[in-house]
C-alpha cells in the first residue's frame, strides 16, 4: 500500500489502472481493521493497488474527495471513480 503524504493523488491515478483509495485516520478502529484486511489482500495480489490517505492530516484531499466518514474506500479504474463505500467490508467491494 502506498501511504500518500501529500496531494499527489492525481499522479498516482494517472499511472495505476486499478486503484483503491482508502481514506482513514489512525484513531479509527474500523480503519485499523480494514488495513489488516488490505494487507491480506495485497499478499494475495487481488489486482488493485491500494493508496492510503490520512484524512486528518490531509483534510484538503479528504474534502476534495467528499469524505464524510472513516474509512471510505474509492475504487478507480483507468483514473475514473467507479465505486465508493464506507466501512471495513472490503471483500464484496473489490469484486
Amino acid at each position: 500500500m502506498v501511504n500518500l503524504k501529500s496531494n499527489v493523488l492525481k499522479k498516482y491515478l494517472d499511472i495505476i489502472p486499478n486503484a483503491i483509495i482508502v481514506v482513514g485516520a489512525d484513531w479509527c478502529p474500523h480503519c485499523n481493521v480494514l488495513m489488516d484486511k488490505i494487507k491480506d489482500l495485497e499478499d494475495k495480489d487481488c489486482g488493485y493497488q491500494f493508496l492510503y490517505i490520512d484524512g486528518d492530516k490531509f483534510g484538503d484531499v479528504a474534502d476534495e474527495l467528499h469524505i464524510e466518514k472513516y474509512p471510505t474506500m474509492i475504487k478507480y479504474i483507468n483514473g475514473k471513480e467507479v465505486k465508493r463505500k464506507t466501512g471495513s467490508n472490503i471483500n464484496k467491494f473489490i469484486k
Side-chain angles (χ1 to χ4, degrees):
M1 176 175 311
V2 176
N3 190 1
L4 297 179
K5 299 189 184 301
S6 64
N7 193 356
V8 294
L9 180 59
K10 173 124 175 62
K11 177 182 121 179
Y12 277 96
L13 293 177
D14 286 344
I15 61 173
I16 299 171
N18 299 322
I20 295 178
I21 297 172
V22 177
V23 183
D26 292 340
W27 54 263
C28 170
H30 296 292
C31 298
N32 295 326
V33 169
L34 178 60
M35 299 310 281
D36 289 340
K37 291 178 181 180
I38 288 172
K39 287 176 189 171
D40 291 341
L41 287 170
E42 286 180 320
D43 290 343
K44 296 176 186 173
D45 190 22
C46 71
Y48 290 94
Q49 173 70 50
F50 292 92
L51 306 170
Y52 178 78
I53 299 169
D54 186 315
D56 283 351
K57 292 180 183 171
F58 300 102
D60 57 333
V61 178
D63 289 344
E64 183 179 318
L65 293 171
H66 307 287
I67 302 302
E68 296 179 11
K69 295 182 182 180
Y70 296 147
T72 295
M73 299 174 281
I74 309 170
K75 185 189 298 186
Y76 284 85
I77 306 291
N78 296 321
K80 298 198 185 281
E81 181 178 334
V82 296
K83 195 172 186 181
R84 180 181 286 247
K85 181 183 183 329
T86 59
S88 60
N89 188 355
I90 192 168
N91 293 328
K92 290 181 182 178
F93 184 74
I94 62 170
K95 294 180 182 184

